[in-house]
Amino acid sequence: MYDELTKKDLQKMQEEIDYRVRELRPKLIEDVQTARAFGDLSENFEYKCAKQEKNRNESRIRYLERMIKTAHVIEDTSTEETAGLYDMVEILMENTGKSRVIRLVTTLRQDALKGWISKESPVGKAVMGHRSGERVRVDMGNGKGYTIQILSITKGKDDGSIPIGSF
């Protein structure tokens, strides 16, 4: 299995790895050593917290390295009229009558609370490649789903403003 990521996604992940290895790791190691000097490790809360933070950093580094290693690099191939990566799409939920603006992003950058919807999510899959005015079916699996209408598409690009998510 691989994740479909853009070159910018890979660049952002590598920048985070570099920061975590060059700057954060030495600081966290020093924090562990400082806390260890406080005495009895069985009752040393500072030591336990410092170790947890160091381990969390190492885990994040491994996660990002694995993502880079298994990534499949993609590019936006949408036309001016069709929805593609980083586009703002206004959709109408026909079952509720409410409209909402979403931005199509890669899985690594999704944040539903901010309206950044993964292109691999059911809504993202339904909208990608379609035009304004079209009605599309959002497949929820097991024969279930609902219909949405694409009201408008505002073309976007990856300007680096959308951060990569945590795991």
Side-chain angles (χ1 to χ4, degrees), residues 89-102 123 127 135-136 138 140 145-151:
V89 181
E90 184 178 6
I91 57 173
L92 173 68
M93 312 292 279
E94 291 187 351
N95 58 347
T96 64
K98 295 182 180 178
S99 68
R100 153 175 204 191
V101 176
I102 62 171
V123 172
V127 171
R135 294 176 68 228
V136 294
V138 178
M140 300 300 291
Y146 56 93
T147 304
I148 60 175
Q149 182 177 5
I150 302 171
L151 299 177

Side-chain angles (χ1 to χ4, degrees), residues 69-86:
K69 184 178 180 181
T70 62
H72 176 70
V73 179
I74 61 168
E75 291 184 23
D76 182 24
T77 57
S78 66
T79 65
E80 271 307 305
E81 298 85 32
T82 60
L85 272 178
Y86 305 108

